[in-house]
Amino acid sequence: MVTPLIQTESLSKVYRVGRKDVRALYDLNLSVQPGEIFGYLGPNGAGKTTTIRLLLDIIRPTSGRASILGMNVHTDSVPLHRQIGFLPGELNLWKNLTGLQVVQYIGRVRGGVDKAYVHNLAERLQLDLGVRVRSYSTGNKRKLGLVLALMNKPDLLILDEPTSGLDPLMQQTFNELMLETRAEGRTVFLSSHLLSEVQAICDRVAILRSGQLQAVETVYDLTHRDFQWVTLKLREAAPGHIASVPGVTDVTISAEGRQVDLRLSGDFDPLLRALQDHYIVELNTRAATLEEIFLTFYSARNNTVVDESLKERVL
């Protein structure tokens, strides 16, 4: 059995805020395998950044433990950090230095860097390393952060909202870089709100809600297991009782009544039995997208109100 590259065991973090204890992460049991791109999903406040800070030993857990490359993230933090490329959600760099000077400084700290690879990354990301950091746009600062994380070709990349501020073209370049990283046998752990991006490049996805792990699945299994969208075209008007069929929700019937769009959970049999007296001209299905699956973990049926801004980001 392959040893997980990242392993957490009952990892928990409670913050003291005033007189109250605020639970940011609760009993996280997670395994990330070598050579995979692992997506870590959840809205702001779900516990994603807390998890990353615990993995990097920036903060200490209230209980539980974590290991990377078989080493304890606390006792072995110094050697581990040499093998990790990290891009934080908020990147603070030396404003008076040029991008190249920042790269050179970080490179010396890490024991050297491949200059040709750095310039290749900068060219692909369309980043001018001769400009001072204070003159960079938000997107260019993000690009510089990606160069710093990638330039030593670390065994593990930990990226917090890596494409925030990047235009669609650069997001595609980022995807290519991540797929190349995986092809070289290295591992990527990334948190993101851009679920379409995660769906495009990740092997597996974890969904976090209010500090608790809700699901860990391959992207394929996650988007095929919960529900699917069904479109039916009938010869005559659809029966009125179709909305009450077990597993059927979100029913929309066309004005003439002969096309039905619905969401189906579970087996097809109850739906087909309900239509046994109707001639089905056409039946089409579509698997749920990762965005749609994600939102089910934050919908009213889970006793949680979906943040409208979150909907805008993921749909």
Side-chain angles (χ1 to χ4, degrees), residues 28-55:
L28 179 69
N29 293 293
L30 194 64
S31 295
V32 177
Q33 302 304 317
E36 73 173 334
I37 304 177
F38 191 92
Y40 199 49
L41 304 178
N44 292 334
K48 305 190 310 298
T49 298
T50 293
T51 303
I52 288 173
R53 289 173 176 170
L54 289 168
L55 291 175

Side-chain angles (χ1 to χ4, degrees), residues 85-87 91 93 99-100 102-104 106-107 110 113-129 136 139-154 157 159 162 174 177-178:
F86 173 48
L87 176 62
L91 187 63
L93 298 169
L100 182 59
V102 173
V103 167
Q104 291 171 337
I106 298 297
R110 293 179 181 174
V113 68
D114 184 340
K115 294 180 180 179
Y117 184 55
V118 166
H119 287 289
N120 176 262
L121 288 172
E123 182 177 351
R124 293 177 66 179
L125 291 168
Q126 298 179 16
L127 175 66
D128 185 351
L129 291 173
Y136 278 153
N140 280 334
K141 289 177 183 177
R142 213 75 191 139
K143 293 176 186 179
L144 178 57
L146 284 170
V147 170
L148 296 174
L150 288 161
M151 65 183 187
N152 288 94
K153 295 190 174 182
L157 285 170
L159 311 175
F174 169 80
L177 289 169
M178 295 303 100

Side-chain angles (χ1 to χ4, degrees), residues 245-259:
V245 173
V248 170
T249 56
D250 300 342
V251 178
T252 302
I253 300 176
S254 64
E256 72 278 8
R258 291 194 295 272
Q259 178 169 317

Side-chain angles (χ1 to χ4, degrees), residues 94-110:
W94 300 273
K95 295 181 180 180
N96 291 324
L97 298 183
T98 65
L100 182 59
Q101 288 172 329
V102 173
V103 167
Q104 291 171 337
Y105 175 73
I106 298 297
R108 287 194 297 271
V109 171
R110 293 179 181 174

Side-chain angles (χ1 to χ4, degrees), residues 13-272:
K13 180 63 178 179
V14 176
Y15 293 103
R16 187 69 175 179
V17 180
R19 296 182 179 180
K20 295 182 178 180
D21 288 334
V22 178
R23 186 180 68 183
L25 195 66
Y26 180 70
D27 271 352
L28 179 69
N29 293 293
L30 194 64
S31 295
V32 177
Q33 302 304 317
E36 73 173 334
I37 304 177
F38 191 92
Y40 199 49
L41 304 178
N44 292 334
K48 305 190 310 298
T49 298
T50 293
T51 303
I52 288 173
R53 289 173 176 170
L54 289 168
L55 291 175
L56 293 169
D57 197 42
I58 296 171
I59 59 175
R60 302 287 167 76
T62 304
S63 60
R65 63 185 298 274
S67 63
I68 295 177
L69 294 165
M71 294 185 280
N72 185 284
V73 298
H74 172 47
T75 58
D76 300 310
S77 62
V78 173
L80 273 177
H81 284 187
R82 298 193 186 103
Q83 301 178 70
I84 297 173
F86 173 48
L87 176 62
E90 296 183 5
L91 187 63
N92 294 311
L93 298 169
W94 300 273
K95 295 181 180 180
N96 291 324
L97 298 183
T98 65
L100 182 59
Q101 288 172 329
V102 173
V103 167
Q104 291 171 337
Y105 175 73
I106 298 297
R108 287 194 297 271
V109 171
R110 293 179 181 174
V113 68
D114 184 340
K115 294 180 180 179
Y117 184 55
V118 166
H119 287 289
N120 176 262
L121 288 172
E123 182 177 351
R124 293 177 66 179
L125 291 168
Q126 298 179 16
L127 175 66
D128 185 351
L129 291 173
V131 174
R132 294 187 186 277
V133 171
R134 66 167 176 257
S135 299
Y136 278 153
S137 65
T138 299
N140 280 334
K141 289 177 183 177
R142 213 75 191 139
K143 293 176 186 179
L144 178 57
L146 284 170
V147 170
L148 296 174
L150 288 161
M151 65 183 187
N152 288 94
K153 295 190 174 182
D155 295 320
L156 172 63
L157 285 170
I158 297 180
L159 311 175
D160 195 358
E161 302 291 345
T163 60
S164 175
L166 299 186
D167 62 41
L169 180 61
M170 287 299 102
Q171 289 175 12
Q172 181 60 39
T173 300
F174 169 80
N175 289 353
E176 293 169 359
L177 289 169
M178 295 303 100
L179 293 174
E180 290 168 12
T181 297
R182 181 181 64 184
E184 294 168 358
R186 297 183 285 127
T187 305
V188 181
F189 181 93
L190 68 90
S191 72
S192 178
H193 283 127
L194 298 174
L195 304 188
S196 57
E197 170 188 89
V198 170
Q199 188 168 1
I201 65 173
C202 286
D203 301 293
R204 292 193 301 146
V205 174
I207 294 178
L208 199 65
R209 176 188 174 212
S210 301
Q212 290 186 283
L213 192 63
Q214 301 296 307
V216 180
E217 300 280 358
T218 65
V219 169
Y220 178 87
D221 287 344
L222 189 63
T223 54
H224 284 75
R225 71 169 193 168
D226 280 359
F227 63 86
Q228 57 191 312
W229 297 101
V230 179
T231 297
L232 296 159
K233 292 183 179 179
L234 307 174
R235 181 173 291 175
E236 59 277 332
H241 66 273
I242 194 169
S244 61
V245 173
V248 170
T249 56
D250 300 342
V251 178
T252 302
I253 300 176
S254 64
E256 72 278 8
R258 291 194 295 272
Q259 178 169 317
V260 182
D261 296 286
L262 56 87
R263 190 169 95 164
L264 178 66
S265 301
D267 297 333
F268 257 97
D269 189 65
L271 176 60
L272 295 179

